[in-house]
Amino acid sequence: MTATNETYLPTYEELYVPPINLTSSALKAGAPYFGAFCDKESKEFMLCKAEEKDPRKCLESNKQVSLCASKFFHQVRENCALQFTNYWMCLDKAPEGQMSYRFCRKTQAELDKCMSEKMNLNRPEVGWMSKVKLHQTDRPKPVEKLAEIQSLPDAASSLKEVPEALDSLKIFKINLLN
């Protein structure tokens, strides 16, 4: 998309959402639950992004995903802070520096139990996120605009009507003779 002086660009206030200050290991620890907790908001944003083809039109749904993430991690802190911290620290200190889940099954089980009991949120089965699911939305489907086709000028009936063509032919003949 090319921007011109007439192109609307959102203000900082329209773009701003409070940051979620978490490390990559904490985000990885909470990812399966976050995906289930914010499933509706995430799908709404992805649908908007796919249909609109203009990120400016999806700012509000993008904010909803960010606010849902913030709400989720605040609830985790209120309900399962100790288990969550133990789990993400285990991931962070896993051998080989790859944050591998296989070294942290015990702390994962403790977090799973806490999330289930206190937040009524179960870890989704493996592959749940990639399953095809139908998403119902209230957002109207965008209307596709047909591209305007500009008409081309009529072709000249003779070379005399287009002097540039005559000049090109003269240059072409001179180049052929040399």
Side-chain angles (χ1 to χ4, degrees), residues 79-124:
N79 295 298
C80 300
L82 178 65
Q83 295 86 343
F84 183 71
T85 302
N86 290 341
Y87 184 45
W88 75 256
M89 287 182 73
C90 179
L91 289 174
D92 196 45
K93 295 176 182 178
E96 304 163 11
Q98 296 180 2
M99 293 191 284
S100 179
Y101 292 118
R102 66 187 170 138
F103 300 108
C104 304
R105 296 298 181 197
K106 182 179 177 187
T107 53
Q108 177 182 331
E110 292 169 5
L111 179 62
D112 287 346
K113 182 179 178 191
C114 181
M115 296 291 276
S116 179
E117 290 174 357
K118 294 186 178 176
M119 291 183 62
N120 197 28
L121 195 59
N122 294 317
R123 175 182 290 272

Side-chain angles (χ1 to χ4, degrees), residues 2-122:
T2 305
T4 64
N5 287 339
E6 290 78 37
T7 303
Y8 168 73
L9 295 176
T11 64
Y12 178 77
E13 289 76 25
E14 290 175 289
L15 295 172
Y16 181 79
V17 287
I20 300 171
N21 296 317
L22 293 173
T23 64
S24 56
S25 50
L27 288 170
K28 184 171 181 170
Y33 306 105
F34 162 68
F37 188 84
C38 298
D39 188 51
K40 183 177 186 269
E41 292 85 350
S42 297
K43 285 191 174 31
E44 191 68 31
F45 171 68
M46 295 305 290
L47 180 65
C48 177
K49 188 176 163 190
E51 287 183 345
E52 294 291 352
K53 312 244 185 312
D54 182 357
R56 297 170 298 176
K57 295 181 179 178
C58 302
L59 288 176
E60 191 55 40
S61 54
N62 186 14
K63 278 186 177 184
Q64 293 305 316
V65 174
S66 297
L67 293 173
C68 182
S70 182
K71 178 182 173 185
F72 167 73
F73 284 109
H74 282 294
Q75 285 185 14
V76 169
R77 184 173 47 196
E78 290 171 6
N79 295 298
C80 300
L82 178 65
Q83 295 86 343
F84 183 71
T85 302
N86 290 341
Y87 184 45
W88 75 256
M89 287 182 73
C90 179
L91 289 174
D92 196 45
K93 295 176 182 178
E96 304 163 11
Q98 296 180 2
M99 293 191 284
S100 179
Y101 292 118
R102 66 187 170 138
F103 300 108
C104 304
R105 296 298 181 197
K106 182 179 177 187
T107 53
Q108 177 182 331
E110 292 169 5
L111 179 62
D112 287 346
K113 182 179 178 191
C114 181
M115 296 291 276
S116 179
E117 290 174 357
K118 294 186 178 176
M119 291 183 62
N120 197 28
L121 195 59
N122 294 317

Side-chain angles (χ1 to χ4, degrees), residues 39 43 47 131-137:
D39 188 51
K43 285 191 174 31
L47 180 65
K131 287 183 179 177
V132 176
K133 299 173 209 100
L134 185 63
H135 175 70
Q136 295 293 329
T137 182

Side-chain angles (χ1 to χ4, degrees), residues 121-176:
L121 195 59
N122 294 317
R123 175 182 290 272
E125 64 189 50
V126 175
W128 180 80
M129 298 290 185
S130 58
K131 287 183 179 177
V132 176
K133 299 173 209 100
L134 185 63
H135 175 70
Q136 295 293 329
T137 182
D138 296 333
R139 192 175 56 77
K141 187 172 181 176
V143 178
E144 291 187 37
K145 295 178 185 174
L146 298 175
E148 292 181 25
I149 300 174
Q150 297 177 351
S151 61
L152 298 174
D154 294 333
S157 57
S158 73
L159 287 177
K160 292 178 184 174
E161 292 179 25
V162 188
E164 300 88 16
L166 286 173
D167 292 340
S168 297
L169 284 175
K170 287 176 187 173
I171 294 171
F172 182 68
K173 284 182 184 177
I174 291 170
N175 288 339
L176 282 178

